[in-house]
Amino acid sequence: MGKRLKYRVGMMLLAAWLAFSILPAYAMAKDASFSLSVSNQTSMKGNQVVVTVTGSDLADVYGFEINLKYDKDKLLYKKSASLLQGFSVPIAPEDGVVVFAHTKVGKAAGLSGKVELAAITFEMISNKTAKTTVELTRVKLVKSDLTDTVLEPGTKAEIAVQAVGNSGTFKDIAGHWAKEGIERAVNMGFVSGYGDGTFRPDLKITRAEFVVMTARAFDFEAKGGMSLNFSDVDKIPVWARSYVAEAEQAGLIKGYADGSFRPNQWISRSEMAVLIMRLYDGELNTSAKATFADKEQIKPWALPSVAAAADLGIIKGKNGNRFAPADSATRAEATIMLLRLLDANK
């Protein structure tokens, strides 16, 4: 083999080696992609639905802006939020497009991998049961060196819009002690019934569900970026996370000694009393005493709140004047207690 031929063969082998050494790295440099998930409509959210925007294969994202298109004849925009550390800028929608921006602050590493970017809440306003679509039309990603990339994902998600119901249609509250209050709360918009026309007033509720109900009743608003500081944040349902973050920011919830929130645990009547009284605006009667027949069973951490709530008429006893502090609260009990608190705060 001549020198010239050896040289050409050597250069070809070198080129091939470079190609194979570079191409795999290029192939692994995946472009960012985005998905939309729609929360399962639960009765604790009233006629609301939460659309979560998730980014995958992100690389050093310091800030972002998303544009979400929706049908304004079927959905009413309520709020946007991010649980990421930093500063959020929700912009009032125009022509059925929500714009939401978020950025980190100071010297902080950019986001990489799979990240839940934002949760956007809508209220169903159609008087007909139908389907509608939301679409992620544009995403701007900004890296920590302030270079940016604009993408047009076109990602869509379908929402089953339930007709805005009439509280009078509930077929399982006739004769129930909380019937009038349930109908009032539904008309106020912080609870609703199930798709089968029931309200299920005696169904137990979880801590997450009660916090969502409370946040909706008192219309909590987040200030800038939100964060959840509980050790079990991954167990908090996506549809509840922004509400739980707002409630934590408002001082409503503090979690357990081990740092957990325990979102899926049934909330007890004692816990509900403590949470409710953290939202009372007036001056409490510090000398109020619990007069329930089972007051000795009320834990010291809950006793002042129970006594104050009873003094205000927010909490009332069960049969035999029992408070039943360890009993799990029901949907009806939670609804009525929140209505009484709203009235007491007027």
Side-chain angles (χ1 to χ4, degrees):
M1 184 181 292
K3 290 183 178 179
R4 180 174 292 182
L5 182 58
K6 286 182 178 180
Y7 176 77
R8 290 177 63 187
V9 171
M11 291 302 293
M12 290 174 66
L13 290 172
L14 177 61
W17 179 82
L18 287 171
F20 281 111
S21 64
I22 293 173
L23 283 175
Y26 174 78
M28 288 188 293
K30 300 177 182 178
D31 292 331
S33 61
F34 302 90
S35 61
L36 300 177
S37 60
V38 179
S39 65
N40 293 325
Q41 180 63 17
T42 71
S43 56
M44 293 284 84
K45 299 200 304 293
N47 291 309
Q48 289 195 357
V49 63
V50 181
V51 178
T52 302
V53 181
T54 300
S56 298
D57 300 313
L58 301 180
D60 187 32
V61 175
Y62 191 82
F64 61 86
E65 178 188 291
I66 60 177
N67 288 240
L68 192 72
K69 185 178 180 180
Y70 66 98
D71 186 343
K72 59 184 180 181
D73 292 327
K74 295 178 181 177
L75 299 173
L76 174 67
Y77 169 77
K78 297 297 291 183
K79 63 179 178 178
S80 300
S82 176
L83 299 186
L84 301 172
Q85 293 285 356
F87 183 74
S88 297
V89 183
I91 302 172
E94 291 185 6
D95 298 324
V97 177
V98 174
V99 179
F100 178 77
H102 183 85
T103 181
K104 287 178 170 289
V105 179
K107 294 182 179 180
L111 303 168
S112 295
K114 186 175 182 180
V115 181
E116 288 180 2
L117 300 175
I120 301 169
T121 304
F122 297 96
E123 183 173 334
M124 301 179 184
I125 57 174
S126 175
N127 26 14
K128 295 182 179 179
T129 298
K131 292 183 178 180
T132 189
T133 300
V134 291
E135 179 182 0
L136 186 63
T137 57
R138 182 178 183 273
V139 178
K140 181 178 181 180
L141 301 176
V142 181
K143 291 190 173 184
S144 55
D145 62 3
L146 300 186
T147 58
D148 62 73
T149 302
V150 176
L151 305 170
E152 296 181 356
T155 307
K156 297 180 180 180
E158 189 175 81
I159 298 174
V161 178
Q162 299 294 324
V164 178
N166 184 329
S167 61
T169 63
F170 295 140
K171 55 189 178 184
D172 61 343
I173 63 173
H176 195 276
W177 64 269
K179 178 179 183 296
E180 184 178 341
I182 290 170
E183 292 174 342
R184 179 186 168 198
V186 170
N187 290 331
M188 292 173 68
F190 64 87
V191 291
S192 72
Y194 289 86
D196 62 359
T198 63
F199 183 78
R200 306 179 195 178
D202 298 318
L203 191 68
K204 298 175 183 178
I205 64 170
T206 65
R207 287 168 53 82
E209 287 173 332
F210 181 70
V211 168
V212 170
M213 181 194 289
T214 304
R216 282 179 47 75
F218 283 84
D219 197 21
F220 291 159
E221 289 292 339
K223 300 175 182 177
M226 296 185 299
S227 63
L228 280 169
N229 300 310
F230 300 114
S231 59
D232 57 350
V233 62
D234 291 341
K235 295 181 180 179
I236 301 175
V238 171
W239 54 262
R241 287 182 185 176
S242 61
Y243 293 101
V244 173
E246 290 167 356
E248 183 184 15
Q249 194 176 80
L252 174 65
I253 53 177
K254 299 178 181 178
Y256 289 88
D258 63 358
S260 65
F261 174 62
R262 305 179 193 177
N264 300 312
Q265 178 176 293
W266 301 127
I267 190 168
S268 70
R269 285 169 54 83
S270 289
E271 289 176 324
M272 189 165 59
V274 172
L275 266 59
I276 279 178
M277 294 315 297
R278 287 177 183 159
L279 289 173
Y280 179 62
D281 282 342
E283 185 175 345
L284 293 175
N285 178 5
T286 56
S287 62
K289 303 293 182 183
T291 58
F292 296 111
D294 57 353
K295 62 182 179 181
E296 300 301 326
Q297 298 176 22
I298 303 173
K299 301 294 185 183
W301 56 265
L303 189 57
S305 296
V306 172
D311 183 63
L312 291 167
I314 295 173
I315 286 177
K316 296 181 180 179
K318 294 188 173 185
N319 293 336
N321 191 33
R322 295 180 307 106
F323 176 62
D327 283 7
S328 299
T330 66
R331 283 167 50 78
E333 290 171 338
T335 299
I336 297 304
M337 286 191 190
L338 284 173
L339 284 173
R340 290 171 181 164
L341 177 60
L342 288 166
D343 290 341
N345 278 348
K346 289 180 179 179

